[in-house]
Amino acid sequence: MVVIVACFMRCCAKKEINNPIDAHPYSFQHVKKFLNTADTYGIDTKEVGRNIDQVLEYPLNQNLLGIYIPSDRHIVINSSITRDSITLKKTLYHELGHLYGLKHDSIGIMTTYLTPQEIHKKYCPLEGGSDEVWKKDVDNLMKEIKRKQDSINLVK
């Protein structure tokens, strides 16, 4: 699957919009917010620039919202969610969690296989979700990234 996505990306590039990380402004605003938040936790945010060059938007399988491809230095976002701010934000934070070495879990931002409807139900106040749940999940994500980063630094 990853090979197919990587080949598709190389052959069928859609758009290239320059930001410090090449990304569409909708995506980049969430990456920037992630970096600003991570910085307040003492996380080495330069890790993002060392590991990704682009956030790309492509039509992926409907069940795949995003994927981090370390070998190509890309995060690929399903183009079907780019105008859905809540789902886009959750997906970018999730993929950036992978960049920092986090694995899937059954709760929080690193949960896998949530549909956009389930993401809205969890995080969107207008659909029964809660901004407080988002803040708590971001806090847990950042703490986990910091723990991971500190444990790697201890080994060095």
Side-chain angles (χ1 to χ4, degrees):
M1 175 76 158
V2 172
V3 173
I4 293 168
V5 171
C7 290
F8 178 78
M9 290 179 348
R10 286 190 176 133
C11 298
C12 306
K14 269 188 148 179
K15 56 180 129 182
E16 296 192 6
I17 299 171
N18 293 318
N19 284 320
I21 297 169
D22 191 17
H24 188 280
Y26 289 135
S27 296
F28 186 71
Q29 71 180 344
H30 296 301
V31 172
K32 185 175 178 181
K33 176 96 172 171
F34 175 95
L35 294 172
N36 289 338
T37 303
D39 193 50
T40 67
Y41 284 79
I43 294 168
D44 178 7
T45 55
K46 292 178 184 165
E47 198 68 29
V48 172
R50 287 191 289 263
N51 288 289
I52 64 168
D53 296 321
Q54 294 181 307
V55 175
L56 304 170
E57 300 169 4
Y58 290 96
L60 301 173
N61 175 304
Q62 69 179 13
N63 298 322
L64 185 61
L65 300 180
I67 186 168
Y68 169 51
I69 306 173
S71 60
D72 286 343
R73 300 174 50 88
H74 297 327
I75 290 176
V76 181
I77 299 298
N78 192 326
S79 58
S80 70
I81 67 163
T82 57
R83 299 284 191 253
D84 176 351
S85 184
I86 292 170
T87 303
L88 177 61
K89 178 170 58 172
K90 191 272 187 195
T91 302
L92 282 165
Y93 277 53
H94 176 98
E95 298 309 330
L96 288 163
H98 286 312
L99 180 143
Y100 280 98
L102 300 186
K103 306 278 186 224
H104 290 138
D105 63 25
S106 59
I107 58 170
I109 291 172
M110 294 310 294
T111 304
T112 190
Y113 303 119
L114 287 180
T115 66
Q117 294 81 9
E118 291 168 319
I119 292 168
H120 277 250
K121 190 173 179 180
K122 185 171 184 179
Y123 297 124
C124 181
L126 297 174
E127 297 181 41
S130 167
D131 194 45
E132 292 306 311
V133 173
W134 173 256
K135 289 176 186 172
K136 183 179 120 257
D137 284 354
V138 169
D139 181 59
N140 290 337
L141 176 73
M142 296 298 165
K143 287 176 180 174
E144 189 59 32
I145 290 170
K146 181 67 174 150
R147 269 193 293 276
K148 182 112 176 148
Q149 214 170 49
D150 288 348
S151 69
I152 290 169
N153 290 336
L154 285 174
V155 174
K156 289 182 182 178

